[in-house]
Short mmCIF file of all heavy atoms in Angstrom, two decimals:
data_model
loop_
_atom_site.label_atom_id
_atom_site.label_comp_id
_atom_site.label_asym_id
_atom_site.label_seq_id
_atom_site.Cartn_x
_atom_site.Cartn_y
_atom_site.Cartn_z
N ASN V 252 4.10 -12.15 -32.01
CA ASN V 252 4.90 -13.25 -32.53
C ASN V 252 4.04 -14.36 -33.13
O ASN V 252 4.55 -15.18 -33.90
CB ASN V 252 5.76 -13.87 -31.40
CG ASN V 252 6.62 -12.84 -30.74
OD1 ASN V 252 7.27 -12.05 -31.40
ND2 ASN V 252 6.57 -12.80 -29.41
N GLY V 253 2.74 -14.40 -32.79
CA GLY V 253 1.87 -15.43 -33.30
C GLY V 253 0.76 -15.69 -32.30
O GLY V 253 0.53 -14.86 -31.40
N ASP V 254 0.07 -16.77 -32.47
CA ASP V 254 -1.04 -17.09 -31.55
C ASP V 254 -0.49 -17.55 -30.18
O ASP V 254 0.70 -17.79 -30.01
CB ASP V 254 -1.86 -18.25 -32.15
CG ASP V 254 -2.61 -17.84 -33.38
OD1 ASP V 254 -2.81 -16.62 -33.57
OD2 ASP V 254 -2.94 -18.73 -34.18
N VAL V 255 -1.43 -17.58 -29.20
CA VAL V 255 -1.07 -17.99 -27.86
C VAL V 255 -0.43 -19.37 -27.91
O VAL V 255 -0.92 -20.25 -28.58
CB VAL V 255 -2.31 -17.99 -26.99
CG1 VAL V 255 -2.03 -18.64 -25.62
CG2 VAL V 255 -2.84 -16.58 -26.77
N ILE V 256 0.69 -19.55 -27.19
CA ILE V 256 1.41 -20.80 -27.21
C ILE V 256 0.73 -21.84 -26.32
O ILE V 256 0.58 -23.00 -26.71
CB ILE V 256 2.87 -20.59 -26.79
CG1 ILE V 256 3.56 -19.65 -27.79
CG2 ILE V 256 3.59 -21.92 -26.68
CD1 ILE V 256 4.94 -19.25 -27.40
N GLU V 257 0.35 -21.43 -25.10
CA GLU V 257 -0.26 -22.33 -24.16
C GLU V 257 -1.67 -21.86 -23.81
O GLU V 257 -1.85 -20.67 -23.46
CB GLU V 257 0.56 -22.50 -22.88
CG GLU V 257 1.94 -23.10 -23.13
CD GLU V 257 2.69 -23.26 -21.86
OE1 GLU V 257 2.09 -23.19 -20.77
OE2 GLU V 257 3.93 -23.45 -21.92
N THR V 258 -2.62 -22.72 -23.85
CA THR V 258 -4.02 -22.33 -23.45
C THR V 258 -4.49 -23.24 -22.29
O THR V 258 -4.09 -24.41 -22.24
CB THR V 258 -5.00 -22.47 -24.64
OG1 THR V 258 -4.99 -23.81 -25.10
CG2 THR V 258 -4.64 -21.55 -25.71
N ALA V 259 -5.25 -22.69 -21.40
CA ALA V 259 -5.76 -23.47 -20.30
C ALA V 259 -7.17 -22.91 -19.93
O ALA V 259 -7.45 -21.73 -20.17
CB ALA V 259 -4.83 -23.36 -19.09
N GLU V 260 -8.00 -23.78 -19.39
CA GLU V 260 -9.36 -23.34 -19.04
C GLU V 260 -9.30 -22.39 -17.86
O GLU V 260 -8.56 -22.58 -16.90
CB GLU V 260 -10.21 -24.57 -18.70
CG GLU V 260 -11.64 -24.23 -18.34
CD GLU V 260 -12.46 -25.43 -17.99
OE1 GLU V 260 -11.91 -26.56 -18.02
OE2 GLU V 260 -13.65 -25.28 -17.62
N LYS V 261 -10.12 -21.34 -17.97
CA LYS V 261 -10.22 -20.35 -16.92
C LYS V 261 -11.46 -20.56 -16.10
O LYS V 261 -12.53 -20.71 -16.64
CB LYS V 261 -10.19 -18.95 -17.53
CG LYS V 261 -10.39 -17.81 -16.51
CD LYS V 261 -10.39 -16.43 -17.18
CE LYS V 261 -11.55 -16.22 -18.07
NZ LYS V 261 -11.60 -14.85 -18.66
N VAL V 262 -11.29 -20.58 -14.77
CA VAL V 262 -12.40 -20.63 -13.83
C VAL V 262 -12.55 -19.27 -13.15
O VAL V 262 -11.57 -18.71 -12.68
CB VAL V 262 -12.22 -21.71 -12.78
CG1 VAL V 262 -13.40 -21.69 -11.78
CG2 VAL V 262 -12.07 -23.08 -13.43
N VAL V 263 -13.74 -18.71 -13.22
CA VAL V 263 -14.00 -17.39 -12.65
C VAL V 263 -14.91 -17.48 -11.45
O VAL V 263 -15.96 -18.13 -11.53
CB VAL V 263 -14.64 -16.44 -13.67
CG1 VAL V 263 -14.81 -15.03 -13.09
CG2 VAL V 263 -13.77 -16.36 -14.94
N ASP V 264 -14.47 -16.93 -10.33
CA ASP V 264 -15.33 -16.87 -9.12
C ASP V 264 -15.56 -15.40 -8.82
O ASP V 264 -14.70 -14.54 -8.97
CB ASP V 264 -14.64 -17.55 -7.94
CG ASP V 264 -14.57 -19.07 -8.10
OD1 ASP V 264 -15.64 -19.65 -8.35
OD2 ASP V 264 -13.45 -19.63 -8.01
N TYR V 265 -16.79 -15.09 -8.32
CA TYR V 265 -17.22 -13.69 -8.06
C TYR V 265 -17.36 -13.47 -6.54
O TYR V 265 -17.92 -14.35 -5.83
CB TYR V 265 -18.54 -13.42 -8.76
CG TYR V 265 -18.48 -13.60 -10.25
CD1 TYR V 265 -18.78 -14.84 -10.83
CD2 TYR V 265 -18.11 -12.57 -11.07
CE1 TYR V 265 -18.69 -15.02 -12.20
CE2 TYR V 265 -18.04 -12.70 -12.46
CZ TYR V 265 -18.34 -13.95 -13.01
OH TYR V 265 -18.27 -14.12 -14.37
N TYR V 266 -16.88 -12.31 -6.07
CA TYR V 266 -16.93 -11.97 -4.64
C TYR V 266 -17.43 -10.57 -4.47
O TYR V 266 -17.04 -9.66 -5.25
CB TYR V 266 -15.52 -12.12 -4.03
CG TYR V 266 -14.98 -13.52 -4.06
CD1 TYR V 266 -14.35 -14.04 -5.18
CD2 TYR V 266 -15.08 -14.35 -2.94
CE1 TYR V 266 -13.86 -15.32 -5.20
CE2 TYR V 266 -14.55 -15.61 -2.93
CZ TYR V 266 -13.96 -16.10 -4.07
OH TYR V 266 -13.45 -17.40 -4.08
N ILE V 267 -18.16 -10.33 -3.41
CA ILE V 267 -18.59 -8.99 -3.08
C ILE V 267 -17.45 -8.26 -2.38
O ILE V 267 -16.66 -8.83 -1.67
CB ILE V 267 -19.87 -8.98 -2.17
CG1 ILE V 267 -20.51 -7.60 -2.14
CG2 ILE V 267 -19.56 -9.50 -0.78
CD1 ILE V 267 -21.88 -7.55 -1.49
N LYS V 268 -17.39 -6.96 -2.60
CA LYS V 268 -16.32 -6.13 -2.02
C LYS V 268 -16.92 -4.71 -1.83
O LYS V 268 -17.54 -4.16 -2.74
CB LYS V 268 -15.16 -6.02 -2.99
CG LYS V 268 -14.03 -5.13 -2.55
CD LYS V 268 -12.89 -5.16 -3.60
CE LYS V 268 -11.72 -4.24 -3.20
NZ LYS V 268 -10.63 -4.33 -4.20
N GLY V 269 -16.79 -4.18 -0.62
CA GLY V 269 -17.45 -2.90 -0.34
C GLY V 269 -16.82 -2.10 0.77
O GLY V 269 -15.88 -2.53 1.45
N ALA V 270 -17.40 -0.91 1.01
CA ALA V 270 -16.90 0.00 2.00
C ALA V 270 -16.90 -0.58 3.41
O ALA V 270 -15.95 -0.45 4.18
CB ALA V 270 -17.62 1.30 1.91
N GLY V 271 -18.06 -1.17 3.76
CA GLY V 271 -18.19 -1.74 5.09
C GLY V 271 -18.12 -3.24 5.09
O GLY V 271 -17.56 -3.88 6.00
N ILE V 272 -18.66 -3.87 4.05
CA ILE V 272 -18.80 -5.30 3.99
C ILE V 272 -17.48 -6.01 3.90
O ILE V 272 -17.26 -7.13 4.34
CB ILE V 272 -19.76 -5.73 2.85
CG1 ILE V 272 -20.25 -7.16 3.04
CG2 ILE V 272 -19.07 -5.54 1.51
CD1 ILE V 272 -21.13 -7.32 4.24
N THR V 273 -16.42 -5.33 3.35
CA THR V 273 -15.06 -5.89 3.39
C THR V 273 -14.02 -4.80 3.60
O THR V 273 -12.82 -5.05 3.44
CB THR V 273 -14.71 -6.60 2.05
OG1 THR V 273 -14.62 -5.62 0.99
CG2 THR V 273 -15.71 -7.68 1.66
N ASN V 274 -14.45 -3.56 3.99
CA ASN V 274 -13.53 -2.46 4.15
C ASN V 274 -12.70 -2.23 2.89
O ASN V 274 -11.52 -1.88 2.96
CB ASN V 274 -12.60 -2.67 5.36
CG ASN V 274 -13.34 -2.69 6.65
OD1 ASN V 274 -14.14 -1.74 6.94
ND2 ASN V 274 -13.16 -3.70 7.50
N TRP V 275 -13.30 -2.49 1.74
CA TRP V 275 -12.70 -2.38 0.44
C TRP V 275 -11.46 -3.29 0.25
O TRP V 275 -10.64 -3.02 -0.61
CB TRP V 275 -12.30 -0.93 0.09
CG TRP V 275 -13.47 -0.06 -0.23
CD1 TRP V 275 -13.85 1.09 0.41
CD2 TRP V 275 -14.48 -0.26 -1.27
NE1 TRP V 275 -14.98 1.63 -0.14
CE2 TRP V 275 -15.40 0.79 -1.15
CE3 TRP V 275 -14.67 -1.23 -2.20
CZ2 TRP V 275 -16.47 0.96 -2.01
CZ3 TRP V 275 -15.79 -1.13 -3.05
CH2 TRP V 275 -16.66 -0.03 -2.98
N LYS V 276 -11.41 -4.35 1.04
CA LYS V 276 -10.36 -5.31 0.85
C LYS V 276 -10.90 -6.51 0.09
O LYS V 276 -12.12 -6.79 0.14
CB LYS V 276 -9.81 -5.80 2.21
CG LYS V 276 -9.28 -4.67 3.10
CD LYS V 276 -8.08 -4.01 2.46
CE LYS V 276 -7.55 -2.88 3.33
NZ LYS V 276 -6.38 -2.22 2.69
N ASP V 277 -10.02 -7.20 -0.62
CA ASP V 277 -10.42 -8.43 -1.31
C ASP V 277 -10.44 -9.58 -0.26
O ASP V 277 -9.41 -9.98 0.22
CB ASP V 277 -9.42 -8.77 -2.39
CG ASP V 277 -9.47 -7.77 -3.56
OD1 ASP V 277 -10.60 -7.51 -4.06
OD2 ASP V 277 -8.43 -7.32 -4.01
N MET V 278 -11.64 -9.96 0.09
CA MET V 278 -11.82 -11.06 1.08
C MET V 278 -12.44 -12.25 0.37
O MET V 278 -13.61 -12.19 -0.07
CB MET V 278 -12.70 -10.60 2.22
CG MET V 278 -12.12 -9.39 2.98
SD MET V 278 -10.52 -9.75 3.79
CE MET V 278 -11.02 -10.95 5.05
N TYR V 279 -11.66 -13.31 0.22
CA TYR V 279 -12.15 -14.47 -0.55
C TYR V 279 -12.55 -15.57 0.43
O TYR V 279 -11.70 -16.34 0.90
CB TYR V 279 -11.07 -14.95 -1.50
CG TYR V 279 -10.60 -13.90 -2.45
CD1 TYR V 279 -9.23 -13.51 -2.47
CD2 TYR V 279 -11.46 -13.26 -3.32
CE1 TYR V 279 -8.82 -12.52 -3.35
CE2 TYR V 279 -11.03 -12.29 -4.23
CZ TYR V 279 -9.69 -11.94 -4.22
OH TYR V 279 -9.26 -10.95 -5.06
N ASN V 280 -13.84 -15.64 0.73
CA ASN V 280 -14.33 -16.64 1.69
C ASN V 280 -15.79 -16.93 1.41
O ASN V 280 -16.41 -16.36 0.51
CB ASN V 280 -14.11 -16.17 3.15
CG ASN V 280 -14.72 -14.82 3.43
OD1 ASN V 280 -15.90 -14.55 3.15
ND2 ASN V 280 -13.93 -13.90 3.98
N ALA V 281 -16.34 -17.84 2.20
CA ALA V 281 -17.72 -18.31 1.97
C ALA V 281 -18.76 -17.20 2.13
O ALA V 281 -19.82 -17.24 1.52
CB ALA V 281 -18.05 -19.47 2.87
N ALA V 282 -18.42 -16.19 3.00
CA ALA V 282 -19.39 -15.13 3.23
C ALA V 282 -19.47 -14.12 2.08
O ALA V 282 -20.43 -13.42 1.92
CB ALA V 282 -19.03 -14.40 4.53
N THR V 283 -18.39 -14.05 1.27
CA THR V 283 -18.35 -13.06 0.22
C THR V 283 -18.48 -13.67 -1.18
O THR V 283 -18.70 -12.97 -2.15
CB THR V 283 -17.00 -12.27 0.24
OG1 THR V 283 -15.91 -13.23 0.09
CG2 THR V 283 -16.85 -11.53 1.56
N LYS V 284 -18.44 -14.96 -1.30
CA LYS V 284 -18.40 -15.63 -2.60
C LYS V 284 -19.81 -15.90 -3.16
O LYS V 284 -20.69 -16.38 -2.42
CB LYS V 284 -17.63 -16.97 -2.47
CG LYS V 284 -17.49 -17.71 -3.81
CD LYS V 284 -16.71 -19.01 -3.62
CE LYS V 284 -16.55 -19.75 -4.90
NZ LYS V 284 -15.81 -21.03 -4.71
N MET V 285 -19.98 -15.66 -4.45
CA MET V 285 -21.21 -16.06 -5.10
C MET V 285 -21.11 -17.55 -5.47
O MET V 285 -20.06 -18.02 -6.00
CB MET V 285 -21.46 -15.27 -6.40
CG MET V 285 -21.54 -13.79 -6.16
SD MET V 285 -22.01 -12.90 -7.70
CE MET V 285 -23.81 -13.03 -7.64
N ASN V 286 -22.12 -18.34 -5.16
CA ASN V 286 -22.17 -19.75 -5.48
C ASN V 286 -22.79 -19.92 -6.86
O ASN V 286 -23.82 -19.30 -7.16
CB ASN V 286 -22.97 -20.53 -4.46
CG ASN V 286 -22.31 -20.50 -3.07
OD1 ASN V 286 -21.14 -20.77 -2.99
ND2 ASN V 286 -23.08 -20.15 -2.10
N GLY V 287 -22.16 -20.76 -7.72
CA GLY V 287 -22.67 -20.83 -9.09
C GLY V 287 -22.60 -22.22 -9.69
O GLY V 287 -21.82 -23.05 -9.26
N SER V 288 -23.48 -22.39 -10.67
CA SER V 288 -23.45 -23.59 -11.51
C SER V 288 -24.11 -23.22 -12.83
O SER V 288 -25.05 -22.41 -12.86
CB SER V 288 -24.22 -24.75 -10.87
OG SER V 288 -25.55 -24.43 -10.68
N ASP V 289 -23.56 -23.81 -13.90
CA ASP V 289 -24.10 -23.58 -15.28
C ASP V 289 -24.16 -22.07 -15.60
O ASP V 289 -25.08 -21.60 -16.28
CB ASP V 289 -25.50 -24.20 -15.40
CG ASP V 289 -25.45 -25.72 -15.20
OD1 ASP V 289 -24.45 -26.31 -15.60
OD2 ASP V 289 -26.45 -26.23 -14.65
N GLY V 290 -23.18 -21.31 -15.08
CA GLY V 290 -23.12 -19.92 -15.48
C GLY V 290 -24.08 -18.99 -14.73
O GLY V 290 -24.19 -17.80 -15.09
N VAL V 291 -24.71 -19.49 -13.66
CA VAL V 291 -25.61 -18.62 -12.85
C VAL V 291 -25.08 -18.62 -11.44
O VAL V 291 -24.85 -19.67 -10.83
CB VAL V 291 -27.05 -19.15 -12.85
CG1 VAL V 291 -27.92 -18.29 -11.97
CG2 VAL V 291 -27.60 -19.19 -14.30
N TYR V 292 -24.84 -17.41 -10.91
CA TYR V 292 -24.20 -17.27 -9.62
C TYR V 292 -25.11 -16.47 -8.64
O TYR V 292 -25.76 -15.50 -9.09
CB TYR V 292 -22.86 -16.48 -9.77
CG TYR V 292 -21.87 -17.23 -10.59
CD1 TYR V 292 -21.92 -17.17 -11.98
CD2 TYR V 292 -20.86 -18.01 -10.01
CE1 TYR V 292 -20.99 -17.86 -12.78
CE2 TYR V 292 -19.93 -18.69 -10.78
CZ TYR V 292 -20.00 -18.61 -12.16
OH TYR V 292 -19.11 -19.29 -12.95
N THR V 293 -25.13 -16.89 -7.38
CA THR V 293 -25.99 -16.21 -6.41
C THR V 293 -25.22 -15.95 -5.10
O THR V 293 -24.30 -16.69 -4.72
CB THR V 293 -27.23 -17.02 -6.09
OG1 THR V 293 -26.87 -18.27 -5.50
CG2 THR V 293 -28.06 -17.26 -7.33
N LEU V 294 -25.67 -14.93 -4.43
CA LEU V 294 -25.15 -14.61 -3.09
C LEU V 294 -26.24 -13.87 -2.31
O LEU V 294 -26.80 -12.92 -2.80
CB LEU V 294 -23.89 -13.73 -3.15
CG LEU V 294 -23.39 -13.22 -1.76
CD1 LEU V 294 -22.87 -14.38 -0.92
CD2 LEU V 294 -22.34 -12.15 -1.94
N GLU V 295 -26.55 -14.37 -1.10
CA GLU V 295 -27.48 -13.64 -0.22
C GLU V 295 -26.66 -13.08 0.90
O GLU V 295 -25.96 -13.83 1.61
CB GLU V 295 -28.59 -14.57 0.25
CG GLU V 295 -29.67 -13.81 1.08
CD GLU V 295 -30.92 -14.61 1.32
OE1 GLU V 295 -30.90 -15.83 1.00
OE2 GLU V 295 -31.86 -14.08 1.87
N VAL V 296 -26.82 -11.79 1.14
CA VAL V 296 -25.97 -11.14 2.15
C VAL V 296 -26.75 -9.97 2.75
O VAL V 296 -27.52 -9.31 2.08
CB VAL V 296 -24.64 -10.65 1.50
CG1 VAL V 296 -24.89 -9.61 0.41
CG2 VAL V 296 -23.73 -10.05 2.56
N TYR V 297 -26.51 -9.77 4.04
CA TYR V 297 -27.15 -8.61 4.72
C TYR V 297 -26.29 -7.38 4.47
O TYR V 297 -25.07 -7.39 4.67
CB TYR V 297 -27.26 -8.87 6.23
CG TYR V 297 -27.78 -7.68 7.00
CD1 TYR V 297 -29.12 -7.40 7.06
CD2 TYR V 297 -26.91 -6.81 7.65
CE1 TYR V 297 -29.63 -6.32 7.74
CE2 TYR V 297 -27.38 -5.71 8.37
CZ TYR V 297 -28.71 -5.44 8.40
OH TYR V 297 -29.22 -4.34 9.10
N LEU V 298 -26.94 -6.29 4.04
CA LEU V 298 -26.23 -5.02 3.80
C LEU V 298 -26.87 -3.90 4.63
O LEU V 298 -28.08 -3.83 4.71
CB LEU V 298 -26.23 -4.65 2.35
CG LEU V 298 -25.52 -5.61 1.38
CD1 LEU V 298 -25.76 -5.17 -0.08
CD2 LEU V 298 -24.05 -5.73 1.70
N LYS V 299 -26.01 -3.05 5.17
CA LYS V 299 -26.52 -1.88 5.86
C LYS V 299 -26.97 -0.83 4.85
O LYS V 299 -26.53 -0.83 3.67
CB LYS V 299 -25.39 -1.33 6.74
CG LYS V 299 -25.00 -2.22 7.91
CD LYS V 299 -23.90 -1.56 8.73
CE LYS V 299 -23.47 -2.44 9.91
NZ LYS V 299 -22.41 -1.84 10.70
N GLU V 300 -27.81 0.11 5.33
CA GLU V 300 -28.25 1.20 4.48
C GLU V 300 -27.03 2.02 4.05
O GLU V 300 -26.11 2.30 4.80
CB GLU V 300 -29.22 2.11 5.24
CG GLU V 300 -29.77 3.23 4.44
CD GLU V 300 -30.69 4.16 5.24
OE1 GLU V 300 -30.89 3.85 6.44
OE2 GLU V 300 -31.23 5.14 4.67
N LYS V 301 -27.00 2.38 2.77
CA LYS V 301 -25.98 3.21 2.12
C LYS V 301 -24.63 2.47 1.97
O LYS V 301 -23.59 3.11 1.68
CB LYS V 301 -25.76 4.54 2.89
CG LYS V 301 -26.98 5.44 2.84
CD LYS V 301 -26.74 6.76 3.49
CE LYS V 301 -27.97 7.66 3.44
NZ LYS V 301 -27.76 8.96 4.06
N GLU V 302 -24.66 1.12 2.15
CA GLU V 302 -23.41 0.38 1.87
C GLU V 302 -23.07 0.52 0.39
O GLU V 302 -23.88 0.25 -0.49
CB GLU V 302 -23.65 -1.10 2.19
CG GLU V 302 -22.51 -2.01 1.77
CD GLU V 302 -21.23 -1.84 2.61
OE1 GLU V 302 -21.33 -1.92 3.86
OE2 GLU V 302 -20.19 -1.57 2.00
N GLU V 303 -21.85 0.90 0.10
CA GLU V 303 -21.34 1.00 -1.26
C GLU V 303 -20.50 -0.23 -1.55
O GLU V 303 -19.63 -0.60 -0.78
CB GLU V 303 -20.53 2.27 -1.45
CG GLU V 303 -19.98 2.43 -2.89
CD GLU V 303 -19.14 3.67 -3.02
OE1 GLU V 303 -19.13 4.54 -2.17
OE2 GLU V 303 -18.45 3.73 -4.08
N PHE V 304 -20.75 -0.86 -2.73
CA PHE V 304 -20.06 -2.14 -3.00
C PHE V 304 -20.04 -2.44 -4.49
O PHE V 304 -20.70 -1.76 -5.30
CB PHE V 304 -20.77 -3.27 -2.22
CG PHE V 304 -22.18 -3.49 -2.70
CD1 PHE V 304 -22.49 -4.48 -3.62
CD2 PHE V 304 -23.22 -2.69 -2.21
CE1 PHE V 304 -23.80 -4.67 -4.05
CE2 PHE V 304 -24.55 -2.90 -2.62
CZ PHE V 304 -24.84 -3.87 -3.55
N THR V 305 -19.31 -3.45 -4.82
CA THR V 305 -19.25 -3.99 -6.18
C THR V 305 -18.94 -5.47 -6.07
O THR V 305 -18.81 -6.00 -4.94
CB THR V 305 -18.20 -3.22 -7.00
OG1 THR V 305 -18.31 -3.65 -8.36
CG2 THR V 305 -16.80 -3.49 -6.51
#
Side-chain angles (χ1 to χ4, degrees):
N252 305 312
D254 293 338
V255 171
I256 297 173
E257 297 182 16
T258 58
E260 183 180 357
K261 175 179 68 176
V262 177
V263 182
D264 290 307
Y265 300 90
Y266 296 83
I267 194 170
K268 177 179 180 178
I272 199 65
T273 67
N274 293 311
W275 287 122
K276 302 297 180 182
D277 291 311
M278 300 297 293
Y279 304 121
N280 54 51
T283 59
K284 183 180 179 180
M285 300 187 86
N286 296 310
S288 62
D289 299 325
V291 179
Y292 297 82
T293 62
L294 173 68
E295 186 168 7
V296 60
Y297 175 81
L298 297 176
K299 294 180 179 179
E300 183 182 0
K301 295 184 180 180
E302 172 71 55
E303 181 181 346
F304 64 97
T305 187

